[in-house]
Amino acid sequence: MQVICLEEQAFYELIEQVVDRLSEKLNVPADRWIDGEEAMSLLKIKSTTLQTYRDEGKIRYSQPSKKVILYDRLSIEEFIENNAKETF
């Protein structure tokens, strides 16, 4: 029997990739409201930039409680699409 060791972060990234691939194959709709970690991952940004985008109204968010901020996945995808540059 072989044993494979992974660092914790690498393990969770692998799990996320598996879930993403399965969701695509099964056509499972993604959650509309996502947490800050997932929003930063989609945008490839840090928390300060995420806060700036939120403060400037560039992406939609909801704050159901004082310490919980959720981001609209559709708004983030639209933001990325609107900032896409056409190729020559």
Side-chain angles (χ1 to χ4, degrees):
M1 175 170 70
Q2 291 182 318
V3 176
I4 299 173
C5 296
L6 295 173
E7 291 183 11
E8 184 176 2
Q9 183 178 356
F11 172 76
Y12 286 113
E13 287 179 17
L14 178 61
I15 295 297
E16 284 181 26
Q17 289 177 9
V18 169
V19 168
D20 288 345
R21 285 190 182 198
L22 289 174
S23 295
E24 288 174 9
K25 288 188 182 230
L26 299 174
N27 292 325
V28 175
D31 290 334
R32 168 96 187 254
W33 295 97
I34 59 175
D35 65 13
E37 290 295 321
E38 192 168 352
M40 288 185 290
S41 176
L42 284 173
L43 291 162
K44 310 286 191 255
I45 59 172
K46 297 184 187 278
S47 61
T48 53
T49 306
L50 184 63
Q51 182 175 348
T52 300
Y53 288 173
R54 187 176 70 232
D55 293 344
E56 293 176 352
K58 293 183 177 181
I59 56 175
R60 290 184 66 224
Y61 71 96
S62 175
Q63 191 166 7
S65 67
K66 187 174 183 175
K67 293 187 177 184
V68 175
I69 300 174
L70 300 173
Y71 298 88
D72 182 358
R73 178 188 298 274
L74 300 175
S75 170
I76 291 172
E77 291 172 355
E78 183 179 327
F79 175 78
I80 292 170
E81 190 64 34
N82 290 339
N83 286 284
K85 306 297 181 207
E86 294 299 324
T87 57
F88 297 100

